[in-house]
C-alpha cells in the first residue's frame, strides 16, 4: 500500500529532473496545471458559443495538437454540444524551427464537412501561414462555419492575419516543445511546455 502510494506520488509529482527530457529543458513556459485549467476555461467558452448548434466537428491538426485535442474534447464533452473528431496531418516545418509557408497534406479529412460547424483544434499559431492555408482549404468545402481554437499563439510572429476565435495562451516568440509540440519529433510527451537548452540544437 505504501509502496503504491509512493510510486503514485513520484508519478504525479514527476519533475523535469526525473524524466529523460528534463535535462534538455532550460525553462518551463506553461505548466501542466496551467494547461489543464486553461483547457477547461476554453471548453466553457466554446460550449457557451456553440450552445445552439446540434454538433461540432473538431478538426485536429496532427501531430502537434493531439494532446490538446484529447484534453479539450473531454473537457467540452462534459458541457456539450456533442462533438465528432476528425484528424488532418499537414506539414509546414521540416526538422528546423522556422515556418516555411509551404504546406503539404499528409492526411486529409475522412468525411465531408459541408454544412457542418467546424472547429479547428490547433497546437500553436506562429507565423499563421499554416493555419491561413488550412482555413482556405476548409472554407472551399462549404462548411456551415469554421472557427479556430489554439492552445498557444505567438503574437509577435504573426505575418498573416488569421482569425483565431479562441486562444489559450499568448507566449513569447521562442521555440517551445512539449504537450504535443516537438523538436525533430521528440519531446511531444512532455506534460508541460518549455524551452530547450541551446546545446540541444547543436547536437548532430
Ligand atoms: P506557423 O505556420 O508558423 O503558424 O506554424 C504552425 C505550426 O508550426 C504549428 O502547428 C506547429 O506544428 C509548428 N510550430 C510553430 N511554432 C512551434 C514551436 O515553438 N514549437 C514546435 N512547433 C512549432
Amino acid at each position: 500500500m505504501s509502496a503504491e502510494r509512493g510510486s503514485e506520488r513520484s508519478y504525479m509529482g514527476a519533475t523535469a529532473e526525473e524524466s529523460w527530457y528534463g535535462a534538455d529543458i532550460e525553462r518551463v513556459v506553461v505548466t501542466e496545471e496551467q494547461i489543464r485549467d486553461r483547457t477547461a476555461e476554453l471548453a466553457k467558452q466554446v460550449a457557451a458559443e456553440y450552445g445552439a448548434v446540434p454538433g461540432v466537428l473538431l478538426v485536429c491538426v496532427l501531430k502537434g495538437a493531439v494532446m490538446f485535442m484529447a484534453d479539450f474534447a473531454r473537457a467540452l464533452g462534459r458541457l456539450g454540444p456533442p462533438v465528432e473528431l476528425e484528424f488532418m496531418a499537414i506539414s509546414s516545418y521540416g526538422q528546423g524551427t522556422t515556418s516555411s509557408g509551404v504546406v503539404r497534406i499528409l492526411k486529409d479529412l475522412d468525411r465531408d464537412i459541408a454544412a457542418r460547424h467546424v472547429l479547428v483544434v490547433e497546437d500553436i499559431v506562429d507565423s499563421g501561414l499554416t493555419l491561413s492555408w488550412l482555413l482556405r482549404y476548409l472554407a472551399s468545402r462549404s462548411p456551415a462555419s469554421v472557427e479556430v481554437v489554439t492552445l498557444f499563439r505567438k503574437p509577435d510572429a504573426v505575418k498573416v492575419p488569421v482569425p483565431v476565435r479562441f486562444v489559450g495562451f499568448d507566449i513569447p516568440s521562442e521555440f517551445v516543445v512539449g504537450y504535443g509540440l516537438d523538436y525533430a519529433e521528440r519531446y511531444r510527451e512532455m506534460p508541460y511546455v518549455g524551452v530547450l537548452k541551446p546545446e540541444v540544437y547543436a547536437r548532430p
Side-chain angles (χ1 to χ4, degrees):
M1 185 68 174
S2 61
E4 248 176 59
R5 263 202 225 110
S7 62
E8 187 186 328
R9 214 175 13 247
S10 102
Y11 167 69
M12 296 304 288
T15 60
E17 291 69 32
E18 290 166 334
S19 56
W20 74 263
Y21 45 74
D24 290 357
I25 302 300
E26 178 160 275
R27 198 175 74 253
V28 176
V29 176
V30 185
T31 67
E32 189 174 358
E33 192 184 6
Q34 286 174 316
I35 292 172
R36 194 172 49 238
D37 292 351
R38 191 72 186 114
T39 300
E41 283 171 14
L42 286 171
K44 254 189 220 161
Q45 226 180 311
V46 168
E49 300 235 355
Y50 285 85
V53 308
V56 178
L57 189 67
L58 299 182
V59 175
C60 171
V61 185
L62 294 171
K63 302 172 191 169
V66 71
M67 305 290 180
F68 180 45
M69 174 73 146
D71 288 339
F72 176 73
R74 280 179 289 188
L76 190 56
R78 294 191 191 99
L79 308 162
V83 298
E84 290 172 41
L85 311 184
E86 272 290 308
F87 296 87
M88 277 188 82
I90 57 181
S91 151
S92 67
Y93 277 11
Q95 300 247 311
T97 61
T98 53
S99 189
S100 63
V102 178
V103 176
R104 229 165 20 112
I105 297 184
L106 305 176
K107 188 213 165 299
D108 208 340
L109 296 164
D110 288 334
R111 70 183 100 171
D112 191 13
I113 61 164
R116 302 298 309 271
H117 291 280
V118 173
L119 182 58
V120 177
V121 179
E122 263 283 21
D123 48 1
I124 189 163
V125 183
D126 184 356
S127 69
L129 290 169
T130 312
L131 188 55
S132 133
W133 178 91
L134 181 66
L135 292 177
R136 278 199 305 276
Y137 179 80
L138 294 173
S140 73
R141 274 149 184 74
S142 313
S145 68
V146 186
E147 298 289 356
V148 180
V149 57
T150 186
L151 186 56
F152 301 111
R153 179 173 64 178
K154 295 182 184 172
D156 298 345
V158 171
K159 291 181 203 153
V160 181
V162 280
V164 181
R165 186 91 182 76
F166 309 97
V167 179
F169 300 92
D170 279 311
I171 60 169
S173 286
E174 55 191 342
F175 195 80
V176 290
V177 296
Y179 199 67
L181 295 169
D182 74 307
Y183 171 62
E185 293 301 328
R186 306 185 86 199
Y187 308 102
R188 292 193 197 275
E189 72 270 47
M190 284 169 45
Y192 57 88
V193 165
V195 175
L196 288 170
K197 289 179 181 165
E199 62 254 35
V200 174
Y201 299 106
R203 285 180 197 153

